[in-house]
Amino acid sequence: MNSNLAQLPKEPADLFTRPLTRFLRIEAMAGAILLVCTIVALVLSNTAWSTQFLGFWETKAGFSVGGMEFVRSLKHWINDGLMTLFFFVVALELKRELVLGELRDPRRAAFPLAAALGGMVVPAGLFLLLVGDEPGASGWGAVMSTDTAFVIGCLAILGARLPHSLRLFLLSLAIFDDVGAILVVAIAYGGFRSIPVYFAMGGLIWLALDASGVHATLSGVILGLMTPARSWVSDSRLHAIFDRVVAYPPGARWGGNTSARQDLRRAGIAAREALSPIERLEVSLHPWVAFTIMPLFALANAGVPIGATGFVPALATSIFVAFVIGKPIGIVLFSFMAARMRLGIRPSDLPWSLLAAGSLLTGIGFTMALFIAELAFDPGLLNSAKLGILAASVVSAAMGFLALVWLTSRGSQNAG
């Protein structure tokens, strides 16, 4: 008896919820690994091995062809090269949710989009207000982003106590955040410089952007959003092709230039193309990004000598306040305005109290914040900026986690 007959038929929603569930599971695990790598980087940068550890990431590596030379530090290859795949996967997930997932309804997508906009504009404005004319004002872009892996990791600890709508809201918000932040990088922190460009393989766009002065990781967002979201082979066509192969009797000869071999080859192509390019790329790349690229990024960028001279308390405090206070205020305010003006739809099982508590977690900037800080701040201000980012991430995680625990334990999540 076929065991599949004992199961309920698949629902169309399975096509959307299963990829999202897989994405959330990987992000939650990645958050734990990211935390470990961050702690390792902080410890090593404040020990006797600090000079060797921090100096390792400045090691030069590259290639030269004739008179053209393309050499960068290891940190640069990680931040500008490997992180391109990070943004590529982020853009893939964003497009999949917008085209195939729960955000394909424009008004449902508008709600987290409005929240993300508030979570970028308000903290940036608050940062500029606090910093004023002091050095570091140009680093306003560093306080605009939310770290997806850490936020999803915090939500994963609470498990089924939280509604799925909160996870989707914060995930969508964080993805919109990341795309917005990389656009800020491309526009605000780009420039023009003359670097010979070596055109090769799939790095053509990356090299071209890097040479033009536009931040090269933007290529990941561009390519991710351009990736087709629809499969080439429909379910009915896939079944028809497979039926032809199954119809051959056992022991059929698949070799030679026979119709059986052609049908088998056609079935192999159909099996591959039944999945959309977005799904195939996301499935293959997401684990590498989550478990290799992001940990490397944390090791290369999270090392901050705590006792270093030249610490600027005002800058660190401005970043801290922008993340911890500005982020949740902006998210709640803009999402409330979107709902009140009927521009976006708030999920019925997501009360304002739970949304506000979840918004506290968005002060965890980390990955994108450190990424932008490396571009936006002078070397003399960078450690102060990193301390502000790390402190804000720790406090935001604690506040958001405790607020969600308190709300769900008291059963007040139905309020609002």
Side-chain angles (χ1 to χ4, degrees):
M1 178 179 176
N2 189 345
S3 60
N4 291 332
L5 295 178
Q7 306 294 328
L8 290 173
K10 292 183 178 180
E11 298 183 30
D14 292 337
L15 298 175
F16 314 132
T17 57
R18 288 181 180 177
L20 177 61
T21 301
R22 182 181 182 276
F23 188 91
L24 293 174
R25 189 185 306 116
I26 291 178
E27 287 294 300
M29 295 172 62
I33 296 175
L34 203 58
L35 178 60
V36 172
C37 290
T38 301
I39 294 173
V40 169
L42 284 171
V43 170
L44 290 177
S45 61
N46 287 280
T47 62
W49 297 287
S50 175
T51 302
Q52 294 87 336
F53 175 73
L54 296 176
F56 171 76
W57 303 109
E58 300 302 327
T59 303
K60 299 295 183 180
F63 57 86
S64 61
V65 178
M68 295 183 294
E69 187 178 68
F70 200 83
V71 178
R72 300 287 187 270
S73 67
L74 292 179
K75 179 185 284 189
H76 182 100
W77 283 116
I78 292 171
N79 291 1
D80 288 27
L82 294 180
M83 285 297 285
T84 301
L85 289 177
F86 166 80
F87 290 110
F88 182 62
V89 171
V90 166
L92 287 178
E93 174 62 14
L94 174 62
K95 184 168 182 178
R96 187 178 61 76
E97 284 298 317
L98 290 173
V99 176
L100 302 174
E102 298 182 47
L103 298 183
R104 62 192 185 281
D105 180 346
R107 291 187 66 197
R108 290 190 181 278
F111 189 69
L113 177 59
L117 183 62
M120 291 187 284
V121 172
V122 174
L126 183 56
F127 172 81
L128 289 173
L129 182 65
L130 294 173
V131 173
D133 297 328
E134 297 298 319
S138 61
W140 52 270
V143 299
M144 297 175 64
S145 59
T146 296
D147 191 280
T148 309
F150 275 136
V151 170
I152 298 302
C154 290
L155 297 178
I157 297 175
L158 294 172
R161 301 171 65 167
L162 301 176
H164 175 72
S165 58
L166 178 61
R167 288 183 173 82
L168 179 61
F169 172 76
L170 291 177
L171 174 63
S172 305
L173 184 154
I175 292 174
F176 282 129
D177 242 8
D178 285 340
V179 173
I182 193 56
L183 292 178
V184 169
V185 168
I187 296 170
Y189 301 119
F192 292 93
R193 60 185 187 273
S194 177
I195 298 179
V197 178
Y198 175 66
F199 294 92
M201 306 294 288
L204 175 64
I205 296 178
W206 186 91
L207 289 170
L209 288 177
D210 185 77
S212 72
V214 177
H215 205 272
T217 49
L218 180 62
S219 61
V221 176
I222 295 173
L223 293 174
L225 294 177
M226 289 175 61
T227 303
R230 302 288 182 182
S231 60
W232 185 47
V233 177
S234 65
D235 286 348
S236 57
R237 187 179 296 273
L238 177 67
H239 281 281
I241 293 174
F242 276 10
D243 285 344
R244 289 179 63 93
V245 174
V246 174
Y248 287 98
R253 295 178 59 87
W254 303 107
N257 189 23
T258 63
S259 59
R261 184 175 183 272
Q262 293 174 5
D263 287 338
L264 183 63
R265 181 175 177 273
R266 191 177 296 113
I269 296 174
R272 183 181 70 247
E273 297 297 338
L275 286 175
S276 68
I278 274 187
E279 291 173 297
R280 295 204 307 271
L281 287 169
E282 190 177 349
V283 166
S284 60
L285 290 178
H286 192 198
W288 288 99
V289 169
F291 302 132
T292 302
I293 294 176
M294 292 179 66
L296 277 175
F297 176 85
L299 288 171
N301 292 275
V304 182
I306 303 297
T309 58
F311 177 64
V312 185
L315 177 61
T317 302
S318 298
I319 291 175
F320 179 88
V321 172
F323 270 120
V324 176
I325 298 178
K327 267 283 185 182
I329 289 179
I331 288 170
V332 174
L333 178 62
F334 274 58
S335 55
F336 178 79
M337 290 169 57
R340 178 57 66 91
M341 296 167 63
R342 300 186 183 280
L343 298 175
I345 299 176
R346 175 173 62 96
S348 58
D349 61 340
L350 180 60
W352 288 110
S353 57
L354 208 56
L355 185 149
S359 70
L360 295 173
L361 292 174
T362 62
I364 308 175
F366 197 73
T367 305
M368 273 303 302
L370 292 177
F371 181 84
I372 297 178
E374 289 281 345
L375 302 171
F377 293 103
D378 295 331
L381 301 174
L382 186 56
N383 282 339
S384 301
K386 286 185 175 182
L387 283 175
I389 292 168
L390 294 173
S393 297
V394 171
V395 171
S396 296
M399 289 173 54
F401 184 80
L402 291 175
L404 289 172
V405 169
W406 181 76
L407 282 174
T408 54
S409 64
R410 292 176 60 89
S412 56
Q413 67 269 32
N414 294 322

